[in-house]
Amino acid sequence: PSEITPLTALRFADLIIEAGFPPGVVNIVNGYGATVGQAITAHPLISKIAFTGSTLVGRKILKASSESNLKVVSLELGGKSPTIIFDDADLDQAIQWASIGI
């Protein structure tokens, strides 16, 4: 999680434990992004990274992962305010309100 706002991710970790996930299935690592990110992307025993954030950092993660063990990487980059619009929505209204949320 962000070093500035980690509490939501830490609460999520508590819920993962409460739900009974086996240890090691989900790992949430706190710390400064550059330090922790470099360690995670270069570590040979880590096989998967999921990252949400900037395109610049996403590129760094892909590059570092490709130079270590070619770990699987999932990225959600750039932008903010994701919106899901269902098939039965009033499209004109959905567009109007989605544009306000940006």
Side-chain angles (χ1 to χ4, degrees):
S2 166
E3 61 266 14
I4 300 168
T5 58
L7 296 181
T8 302
L10 295 177
R11 176 63 181 134
F12 181 64
D14 289 339
L15 295 173
I16 288 169
I17 292 168
E18 283 182 35
F21 279 65
V25 170
V26 177
N27 297 289
I28 298 173
V29 181
N30 289 317
Y32 291 104
T35 306
V36 172
Q38 178 58 38
I40 289 172
T41 56
H43 198 288
L45 296 179
I46 294 176
S47 60
K48 168 82 169 95
I49 295 175
F51 174 77
T52 300
S54 72
T55 303
L56 176 67
V57 174
R59 285 185 177 137
K60 290 180 180 182
I61 289 171
L62 279 176
K63 183 175 188 291
S65 295
S66 71
E67 292 171 349
S68 63
N69 62 343
L70 291 175
K71 57 185 59 63
V72 177
V73 178
S74 298
L75 302 172
E76 184 176 334
L77 305 177
K80 62 177 195 162
S81 304
T83 303
I84 298 172
I85 300 173
F86 292 99
D87 290 338
D88 62 346
D90 178 330
L91 195 54
D92 292 329
Q93 285 289 317
I95 292 169
Q96 178 184 351
W97 288 106
S99 68
I100 292 170
I102 295 175

